[in-house]
Amino acid sequence: MIVSKSKIRIRYDEVDKMGYVYHGNYAKYYHISRTELLRKIGICDSSMETYNILMPVVDISIKYLNPIFYDEIIVIKTIMLSIPTSRMKFSHEVYNQKNEIINKAESTVAFVNIDTRKPIRPSKIILDKIQSYIETQNY
């Protein structure tokens, strides 16, 4: 549906003693790519907060296929899988410099009221921005 790609250079502090990117860092990479996808369509974390909305991750599933090493440049391809309801689902694919797939993941964020911390549906403004972006891309 909506696709975004983000490039990241692996820093020394992100690798473990084996020289591999520590597995917990992938959630950070998905967050970066998911944030950039939303920014691309006009939604950013600070604007969500002005609408009293938070978007915590409620589910993440990762399939590790190959390691990534220090100083490599990776590309994270993130896809918004559907128009959000009270949740928004994404798929992620990480590629190395040789364009080989490193891992695949799916993540889900929920729309939550900032005060009550209860699930809510996205505001019309958010849905309109998503729909407008889709229409301009001729999906």
Side-chain angles (χ1 to χ4, degrees):
M1 186 171 169
I2 299 175
V3 179
S4 181
K5 292 183 179 179
S6 300
K7 285 185 179 182
I8 296 174
R9 180 178 297 273
I10 303 304
R11 298 183 322 248
Y12 186 73
D13 68 320
E14 295 172 322
V15 299
D16 59 21
K17 188 170 179 129
M18 295 179 289
Y20 299 164
V21 166
Y22 175 68
H23 70 276
N25 285 322
Y26 288 95
K28 176 176 55 176
Y29 302 151
Y30 305 141
H31 176 79
I32 291 167
S33 188
R34 188 173 53 242
T35 298
E36 291 307 313
L37 182 148
L38 293 173
R39 187 181 308 280
K40 183 169 145 175
I41 59 179
I43 301 169
C44 68
D45 292 332
S46 60
S47 68
M48 298 295 281
E49 291 176 8
T50 64
Y51 301 121
N52 291 323
I53 298 171
L54 298 174
M55 292 191 324
V57 173
V58 295
D59 186 52
I60 190 164
S61 172
I62 304 170
K63 177 70 175 171
Y64 300 96
L65 303 169
N66 292 295
I68 302 173
F69 302 94
Y70 166 66
D71 212 32
E72 283 194 67
I73 296 174
I74 59 171
V75 174
I76 304 103
K77 177 181 175 183
T78 297
I79 303 168
M80 181 188 296
L81 295 174
S82 61
I83 300 292
T85 55
S86 61
R87 295 176 178 223
M88 191 166 20
K89 295 183 180 191
F90 300 89
S91 73
H92 310 276
E93 295 175 346
V94 178
Y95 294 88
N96 65 12
Q97 295 171 162
K98 299 176 189 171
N99 204 33
E100 299 166 327
I101 191 153
I102 298 304
N103 72 42
K104 299 178 183 183
E106 289 193 359
S107 65
T108 303
V109 297
F111 291 94
V112 174
N113 179 281
I114 203 166
D115 298 317
T116 66
R117 306 296 167 126
K118 301 285 184 190
I120 58 174
R121 296 211 175 262
S123 70
K124 182 176 180 332
I125 291 173
I126 293 167
L127 294 173
D128 287 348
K129 287 182 182 208
I130 292 169
Q131 192 60 44
S132 176
Y133 183 83
I134 290 170
E135 288 171 3
T136 62
Q137 300 303 304
N138 296 317
Y139 285 104

